[in-house]
Amino acid sequence: MTGIILYLLLYTNKYFLKLKRLKLDSILNIFGMKIQETESKYFMKDDKHNFFMQKALSQAKLALKRNEVPVGAIIVTSSGNIIGRGYNKIESKKCQTAHAEVIAITKACKVVGDWRLDNCWLYVTLEPCLMCYGLIKLSRIKGLIFGARSDLFGFGYKKKGFLKLVDKKLLIKGYFKEQECIDILQQFFKILRNKKRKVSK
């Protein structure tokens, strides 16, 4: 009973709302209660998605500075720790495997010491391609959050027939900070077009 009262206080009293960053299950464990891990426990709040998508955008900005297509990705654990960061390096690496998602996943695997990224989430500024989508599933990532849609190379989120390919265990949400993700891509291609005009003159 004491644990239930504390739970209600955390979500009704403005003063206790400041404690939301703490793990609720660890607080309730003091009173002998245990909350089971659920998909909505930590990550289903839009403010969390926007926060981490901003981190992915920071990676995209690094790509822009290096004349790469500005796509950024991060891997986040269930406790909110970023264990992998990456941005497009296709031009510098001269290889199509150097996608932001691949680089972020590779770094995260090194941190955890395993290829299994159970309960981790991937945030990426552009809808992943089929290659990266397959890697995400194979890595057992729990959830995928993306910013802008990619009509040309995206894996086909919400397209007809897509549900046949979806692993039910993979949670997918899209269009977080969508306009910012679109803007940085448009900025890159505008710079690229201007360069080509100067060369052609």
Side-chain angles (χ1 to χ4, degrees):
M1 180 63 71
T2 306
I4 295 172
I5 294 172
L6 178 60
Y7 181 90
L8 292 173
L9 283 172
L10 283 169
Y11 286 89
T12 55
N13 190 293
K14 290 183 179 179
Y15 176 78
F16 283 103
L17 283 175
K18 294 179 181 179
L19 299 176
K20 282 179 70 178
R21 289 186 179 179
L22 297 175
K23 287 185 177 181
L24 186 60
D25 56 348
S26 62
I27 297 173
L28 295 184
N29 275 338
I30 297 172
F31 297 92
M33 297 182 66
K34 176 70 177 177
I35 291 182
Q36 292 183 348
E37 196 74 32
T38 64
E39 287 144 357
S40 61
K41 177 188 167 188
Y42 185 83
F43 284 99
M44 290 299 103
K45 298 290 185 181
D46 284 356
D47 58 341
K48 298 293 183 185
H49 291 318
N50 286 322
F51 173 80
F52 288 116
M53 186 56 72
Q54 191 62 51
K55 298 294 183 182
L57 272 165
S58 295
Q59 292 296 305
K61 290 173 183 176
L62 292 176
L64 182 65
K65 289 179 181 179
R66 290 160 176 77
N67 299 316
E68 298 274 2
V69 177
V71 177
I74 62 168
I75 304 291
V76 184
T77 66
S78 59
S79 57
N81 296 317
I82 299 173
I83 58 172
R85 293 177 173 85
Y87 59 86
N88 258 355
K89 293 184 179 180
I90 293 170
E91 296 301 327
S92 61
K93 297 292 185 182
K94 307 298 180 186
C95 183
Q96 274 291 338
T97 60
H99 286 201
E101 300 96 318
V102 177
I103 294 169
I105 288 172
T106 301
K107 289 181 178 179
C109 288
K110 287 181 179 178
V111 170
V112 301
D114 197 348
W115 61 267
R116 301 170 185 86
L117 297 176
D118 297 309
N119 297 318
C120 289
W121 286 66
L122 186 144
Y123 288 79
V124 60
T125 56
L126 184 66
E127 179 184 355
C129 67
L130 282 171
M131 175 185 72
C132 292
Y133 175 64
L135 177 61
I136 290 164
K137 289 177 67 177
L138 288 170
S139 300
R140 298 186 184 177
I141 286 172
K142 185 174 185 178
L144 164 64
I145 306 296
F146 67 89
R149 192 173 76 179
S150 175
D151 291 325
L152 285 176
F153 303 111
F155 64 85
Y157 181 60
K158 289 190 175 179
K159 287 183 180 178
K160 187 177 180 180
F162 168 69
L163 291 176
K164 296 177 182 178
L165 301 174
V166 175
D167 181 348
K168 291 182 180 179
K169 294 180 181 178
L170 178 63
L171 302 173
I172 303 172
K173 293 185 78 174
Y175 317 118
F176 284 87
K177 289 193 173 289
E178 181 182 19
Q179 194 55 54
E180 290 180 53
C181 295
I182 291 171
D183 288 344
I184 194 170
L185 286 165
Q186 289 178 339
Q187 183 183 350
F188 170 79
F189 287 110
K190 183 179 179 180
I191 293 169
L192 196 63
R193 286 193 299 270
N194 289 337
K195 286 180 179 178
K196 287 181 178 179
R197 288 194 189 106
K198 288 178 181 179
V199 171
S200 62
K201 285 182 180 179

